[in-house]
Amino acid sequence: MTTTQPPGCRQGLDPRYHRLCDTADPWGIVLEALAAVGAVTSVVFMLALLAFICRVQDSSRRKMLPTQFLFLLGVLGVFGLTFTFIIRLDGKTGPTRFFLFGVLFSICFSCLLAHALNLTKLVRGGQPLSWLVTLGLAVGFSLVQDVIAVEFVILTMNRTNVNVFSELPAPRRNEDFVLLLTYVLFLMALTFLVSSFTFCGSFTGWKRHGAHIFLTTLLSAAVWVTWITLLLMPVFDHKWDDTILSSALVASGWVFLLVYVIPEFQLLTKQRNPMDYPVEDALCKPQLMKKSYGVENRAYSQEEITQGLQEMGDTLYAPYSTHFQLQNRAPQKDFSIPRAHAQTSPYNNYEGRKEDS
């Protein structure tokens, strides 16, 4: 059976790949171009991340680099997966679609969740998580979807029938596809919730990172609600299912790049700000000083100064002057010891004779 070659495709091309070159139905070409540009951009950012490791001055940002590199790998996979939805569904693309769609998005949202958890500590003045713990959290969260996807694909194919996905009715296939992504939706909601906690803290320098995650998750949720609604609505013809899913992949990938990756790279080499961290010896510094022994000095206590006339009878209190107050000096009293003076002797002019009368 011969098939007519669409315009733009060479003769003898497998019909499964006609959407990649069909100029009469150009949505495949547009999405292919956007996905290719996104994939190249992701690779460029991955290489730039490796090149900027030595230029990152803030140790807390440097600890996030392995997790962000894993996130870029997930974004690269999202753009690459777009081609499996442009190519027609068959025994090879079916298992790939059902397995990788949830796995790649679980990697991306797990990395965002691990970053948000680290920010909730930094914004409150706590110690940041180590790079190994952060990366372990991201991998651990994503492994749950891996297990779910493997079990679903194996049970659905019954280990032998690889064409079962293309043989399933379109409504049933779409329902199973969305049901398989339940854990990814949970990760998305949890990331959105944790990122909102990053706005509560006294160290405001980290709130900008939290805003990147919050906005990325919010826009991703909007994309997902849109494509799930379109996919499950019976009014749309099922011939547009691949268009809807491939468009959702491209839109989500560019949301990740534009809203999270690019703004984070702008802050990557930013100089460490001491105001973003608590003072290291804050617990060793006395908070209040008040003299409790020795001669009383009223300069130590503002409270005692305000008592004013109640404690100092003749103190002149000036409210905006220094803490040392002026006092009226009382006249000095004479506390000198009187000296002894010799009295005049009655015999001073006595010479042993009587004076003549």
Side-chain angles (χ1 to χ4, degrees):
M1 180 179 179
T2 59
T3 58
T4 305
Q5 295 292 332
C9 297
R10 63 178 178 82
Q11 292 293 329
L13 182 66
D14 194 317
R16 295 179 299 173
Y17 305 107
H18 283 174
R19 293 174 179 172
L20 297 173
C21 55
D22 188 0
T23 56
D25 194 12
W27 68 266
I29 299 176
V30 174
L31 293 177
E32 176 188 359
L34 292 175
V37 174
V40 173
T41 306
S42 300
V43 173
V44 171
F45 276 116
M46 292 170 63
L47 296 177
L49 194 66
L50 296 176
F52 287 164
I53 290 179
C54 298
R55 299 181 57 183
V56 180
Q57 301 180 10
D58 196 327
S59 60
S60 297
R61 293 190 178 96
R62 191 182 304 113
K63 292 176 181 178
M64 283 303 306
L65 295 183
T67 304
Q68 290 175 334
F69 188 85
L70 179 62
F71 177 82
L72 285 172
L73 280 176
V75 176
L76 178 61
V78 168
F79 284 118
L81 187 62
T82 306
F83 293 91
T84 64
F85 285 89
I86 299 176
I87 301 172
R88 295 187 184 278
L89 180 64
D90 57 12
K92 295 181 180 179
T93 58
T96 304
R97 292 182 182 187
F98 274 77
F99 178 76
L100 287 181
F101 195 98
V103 169
L104 292 173
F105 276 105
S106 66
I107 291 175
C108 295
F109 288 116
S110 296
C111 293
L112 293 178
L113 178 58
H115 193 182
L117 289 173
N118 189 36
L119 290 175
T120 55
K121 296 175 63 65
L122 290 171
V123 79
R124 291 169 174 80
Q127 292 295 326
L129 301 174
S130 65
W131 70 268
L132 189 59
V133 173
T134 308
L135 183 61
L137 287 175
V139 174
F141 285 132
S142 62
L143 284 178
V144 178
Q145 179 62 29
D146 296 351
V147 175
I148 296 174
V150 169
E151 291 182 354
F152 179 84
V153 171
I154 292 177
L155 293 176
T156 303
M157 292 190 308
N158 197 18
R159 303 187 180 184
T160 54
N161 186 9
V162 295
N163 295 317
V164 64
F165 296 105
S166 57
E167 295 173 355
L168 283 174
R172 170 67 184 280
R173 183 173 61 244
N174 293 338
E175 291 175 0
D176 290 348
F177 188 79
V178 174
L179 184 63
L180 181 61
L181 303 174
T182 303
Y183 178 73
V184 181
L185 294 173
F186 168 75
L187 273 181
M188 189 187 307
L190 184 60
T191 305
F192 181 80
L193 179 63
V194 174
S195 63
S196 64
F197 293 156
T198 61
F199 299 132
C200 303
S202 56
F203 298 92
T204 58
W206 301 107
K207 294 183 180 181
R208 185 174 177 182
H209 298 272
H212 298 161
I213 301 175
F214 181 85
L215 188 58
T216 301
T217 311
L218 180 62
L219 293 178
S220 298
V223 173
W224 275 58
V225 169
T226 302
W227 75 257
I228 291 176
T229 303
L230 295 176
L231 193 67
L232 299 180
M233 287 180 62
V235 296
F236 282 92
D237 193 343
H238 290 292
K239 71 177 183 180
W240 297 106
D241 289 348
D242 291 345
T243 308
I244 293 172
L245 290 171
S246 55
S247 300
L249 285 167
V250 172
S252 298
W254 279 106
V255 166
F256 291 148
L257 287 179
L258 297 177
V259 186
Y260 177 76
V261 175
I262 294 178
E264 284 294 313
F265 262 83
Q266 293 176 350
L267 301 177
L268 193 62
T269 57
K270 185 179 178 181
Q271 188 175 4
R272 177 189 173 99
N273 187 2
M275 299 301 294
D276 294 340
Y277 298 92
V279 181
E280 295 180 359
D281 56 347
L283 298 177
C284 301
K285 292 186 176 181
Q287 300 298 324
L288 296 173
M289 291 182 61
K290 186 173 181 178
K291 193 171 182 180
S292 60
Y293 59 89
V295 180
E296 184 178 2
N297 188 341
R298 298 192 180 278
Y300 281 96
S301 175
Q302 181 67 24
E303 180 181 357
E304 296 179 78
I305 293 175
T306 57
Q307 293 178 358
L309 299 176
Q310 296 179 1
E311 297 184 2
M312 297 177 294
D314 53 354
T315 300
L316 298 178
Y317 176 67
Y320 297 101
S321 63
T322 61
H323 294 317
F324 297 95
Q325 306 299 319
L326 302 177
Q327 298 180 358
N328 292 328
R329 297 184 60 183
Q332 295 183 354
K333 297 180 181 181
D334 188 7
F335 294 98
S336 61
I337 300 176
R339 295 177 179 274
H341 296 283
Q343 297 182 357
T344 303
S345 175
Y347 302 101
N348 283 345
N349 296 326
Y350 181 74
E351 295 179 355
R353 64 178 181 278
K354 295 182 180 181
E355 293 182 359
D356 296 334
S357 53

